[in-house]
Amino acid sequence: QSVLTQSPSASGTPGQRVTISCSGSSSNIGSHSVNWYQQVPGTAPKLLIYNNNERPSGVPDRFSGSKSGTSASLAINRLQSEDEADYYCAVWDDSLKGLFGGGTKLTVL
Amino acid sequence: EVQLVESGGGLVQPGGSLRLSCEASGFTLSDYYMDWVRQAPGKGLEWVARSRDKTKSYSTDYAASVKGRFTISRDNSKNSLFLQMDSLKTEDSAVYYCSRGTSRDYWGQGTLVTVSS
């Protein structure tokens, strides 16, 4: 069981807004920046959001991140079929180790 | 263009050893933190090890599950990162990825390690 808690699944229809949450503690999310990754099965993860809410170049502005206290969220606006993938939050912990959430499988209905 | 290419995976018996390599191009390895991250079949991502950059004297950290068995190292002159894996267990079977920086903005394609008798 992951120290960072994510819902195992989420779903939405094209055009909808979906949010994925990530819950941690004061030693990780409460103290460090959160990153989000998108992984299409069979491929390497791709950085989606870094430093809580920054988007790398090339990532559509439909994707946004936020953090409050010991929780973080990834929002996907105007959902598209190609957004169907697994999403992971990640953060460093004060115990000097990296953490990943358990992952959320997003289904576009 | 930034590229990371892993190699060295394969089938190994429990208790055996394997050395993974990650060849970096398009950037200077010594300027970056580098991580190894693994993914067991059908499972989520798991952080394995970190090598910090030259400003942090290339210090290292490990996940509890691999500490004392795995060693991360680098050869900056060859722009390469390594993961020496000893005393391998069946639960170490996974695709191993190397990634760049604290944000992990670039990832390799991964190399599959299978630990089985």
Side-chain angles (χ1 to χ4, degrees):
Chain A
Q1 191 158 351
S2 302
V3 174
L4 300 181
T5 302
Q6 292 183 242
S7 296
S9 63
S11 62
T13 57
Q16 271 191 328
R17 171 186 167 95
V18 169
T19 60
I20 295 171
S21 63
C22 176
S23 178
S25 68
S26 58
S27 66
N28 41 71
I29 293 180
S31 305
H32 301 274
S33 296
V34 178
N35 303 322
W36 289 91
Y37 304 93
Q38 177 192 60
Q39 186 181 35
V40 174
T43 69
K46 169 190 171 184
L47 177 65
L48 214 54
I49 298 289
Y50 66 100
N51 288 349
N52 304 321
N53 54 20
E54 303 283 345
R55 271 188 319 276
S57 62
V59 173
D61 62 4
R62 301 186 297 106
F63 294 90
S64 62
S66 63
K67 188 180 92 167
S68 178
T70 59
S71 294
S73 292
L74 172 71
I76 308 173
N77 290 313
R78 304 185 299 281
L79 196 64
Q80 299 181 3
S81 57
E82 58 259 37
D83 298 333
E84 189 160 288
D86 298 321
Y87 292 84
Y88 295 90
C89 59
V91 68
W92 192 249
D93 189 273
D94 287 343
S95 62
L96 300 181
K97 64 180 181 181
L99 299 175
F100 283 94
T104 298
K105 181 178 180 62
L106 175 64
T107 301
V108 180
L109 302 169
Chain B
E1 179 193 7
V2 172
Q3 275 197 314
L4 297 170
V5 179
E6 301 95 338
S7 61
L11 174 63
V12 61
Q13 291 188 337
S17 298
L18 216 50
R19 188 190 195 212
L20 306 184
S21 299
C22 169
E23 185 173 345
S25 58
F27 68 100
T28 302
L29 189 69
S30 59
D31 291 339
Y32 287 85
Y33 285 39
M34 296 294 294
D35 282 356
W36 285 98
V37 175
R38 69 184 180 184
Q39 186 169 37
K43 302 296 184 182
L45 300 173
E46 179 188 14
W47 174 79
V48 173
R50 168 164 288 184
S51 172
R52 294 180 178 80
D53 63 16
K54 58 186 177 184
T55 67
K56 299 293 185 185
S57 303
Y58 308 116
S59 59
T60 59
D61 282 306
Y62 298 90
S65 57
V66 307
K67 194 168 185 177
R69 300 187 298 121
F70 289 12
T71 303
I72 188 173
S73 62
R74 56 169 82 204
D75 183 340
N76 293 311
S77 67
K78 295 182 180 178
N79 240 34
S80 292
L81 181 75
F82 305 102
L83 185 68
Q84 177 66 40
M85 304 187 296
D86 298 321
S87 303
L88 281 161
K89 306 175 181 180
T90 55
E91 52 263 41
D92 294 319
S93 295
V95 174
Y96 284 73
Y97 298 99
C98 62
S99 63
R100 186 185 84 160
T102 56
S103 62
R104 304 189 190 97
D105 57 354
Y106 286 91
W107 296 64
Q109 84 289 351
T111 187
L112 177 63
V113 172
T114 303
V115 184
S116 174
S117 54

